[in-house]
Amino acid sequence: RYGVPPEKIAQIFNPLDVGAWSDLDRGGARAELGIAPDALVVGWHGRVEIDHKGLDILVEAIRALQARREVALLLVGGGADAERLRGHIAEAALADAHFVDEFVRDRARLARYLSACDVYAFPSRREGFPVAPVEAMACGLPLVAADVPGIAEILAGGEEGGGLIVPREDPTSFAQAVERLLDDPELRQDLARRGRARAETAFSLDAVGGQLRKFMIEGRRPQAPRAAVQATRRPPGATAQGSAEAPDA
């Protein structure tokens, strides 16, 4: 269409300062948020736009899960639909639902909140290339994500990249995938390690800088980083590492 030769085009992801995050106190984060130490927690953060971000789908999925098991929900973010979201939560009669109604820009504070979670949910209906899932992966969280644009590239196909991909606008499938992770601590840990490794190899400053150097200076198209099937185990206490989602992410 534009007459640009294929060798002059390369896919290079936006970078994330993965190494800027430190180990956090999971117990302290839960105490601050009023979440029980032994709870299983599904988390989300970002801009509160219900239709765009699929938050009604997430609320419905958690409602279905709470009908048969105990699970907590943590939502972090602000936006025009905050009151509508409160209404959805109340209408669904969710128990143990925690909503931090502000857009948290402080990286350390956001990482502290994410450290309280066991599973990260990404139920969006539409996206470009979302930042929030990469932040969650850098935090060492396994993902359940709707198959919106960008997710297949971020997760490199799914479980190898650190998460489970489900059809968009399908609360039943979303709930089943979340429950699969809640029921399987070993799978959660495995996907968390893979997601962290994927963030480091595909989205870190060093990784993206190397891709840019190869393409812009050396004139070579970088190969898309593959997901790590085997990843290094996180050190004890390393529960959250990531960066604050941009307002338009």
Side-chain angles (χ1 to χ4, degrees):
R1 179 179 179 182
Y2 297 104
V4 180
E7 64 271 15
K8 297 295 184 181
I9 301 173
Q11 181 189 62
I12 298 176
F13 298 123
N14 291 328
L16 182 72
D17 192 0
V18 175
W21 297 77
S22 59
D23 299 350
L24 297 174
D25 177 7
R26 176 186 177 89
R30 290 191 170 202
E32 176 184 344
L33 292 162
I35 298 173
D38 59 348
L40 288 170
V41 182
V42 177
W44 173 92
H45 75 292
R47 190 175 63 251
V48 179
E49 292 184 359
I50 289 176
D51 297 333
H52 179 178
K53 298 297 185 180
L55 294 174
D56 54 329
I57 296 167
L58 178 56
V59 168
E60 175 59 24
I62 297 299
R63 185 201 64 76
L65 285 172
Q66 288 189 348
R68 55 183 181 267
R69 65 178 307 145
E70 293 184 358
V71 58
L73 176 64
L74 173 61
L75 305 170
V76 181
D81 287 345
E83 285 306 312
R84 279 185 62 204
L85 179 57
R86 292 183 187 279
H88 277 287
I89 292 171
E91 184 178 353
L94 295 189
D96 209 4
H98 307 261
F99 179 22
V100 180
D101 182 6
E102 64 177 287
F103 194 88
V104 179
R105 297 177 182 272
D106 180 77
R107 180 185 300 169
R109 186 177 170 210
L110 177 59
R112 188 164 66 249
Y113 291 154
L114 291 176
S115 74
C117 301
D118 296 287
V119 174
Y120 188 82
F122 193 74
S124 289
R125 286 185 169 88
R126 57 188 185 274
E127 293 286 347
F129 189 85
V131 178
V134 182
E135 293 174 345
M137 291 159 64
C139 289
L141 292 176
L143 266 61
V144 173
D147 63 347
V148 292
I151 285 297
E153 291 80 9
I154 289 171
L155 288 175
E159 293 189 33
E160 288 189 4
L164 307 179
I165 301 176
V166 301
R168 72 186 82 175
E169 296 197 74
D170 187 343
T172 299
S173 294
F174 206 97
Q176 290 171 346
V178 169
E179 189 162 36
R180 179 184 169 196
L181 293 184
L182 296 179
D183 285 341
D184 192 338
E186 291 186 5
L187 178 60
R188 290 203 308 270
Q189 186 179 53
D190 186 41
L191 294 186
R193 290 197 301 269
R194 294 181 184 194
R196 172 69 185 189
R198 173 71 176 161
E200 291 173 344
T201 59
F203 305 106
S204 69
L205 298 179
D206 286 345
V208 174
Q211 294 170 43
L212 286 170
R213 181 173 57 252
K214 181 179 292 186
F215 185 60
M216 301 295 291
I217 297 176
E218 301 174 11
R220 294 183 294 146
R221 294 178 66 186
Q223 296 295 317
R226 294 181 61 83
V229 176
Q230 296 296 330
T232 303
R233 183 179 297 272
R234 284 185 302 169
T239 54
Q241 294 133 333
S243 71
E245 183 192 59
D248 60 349

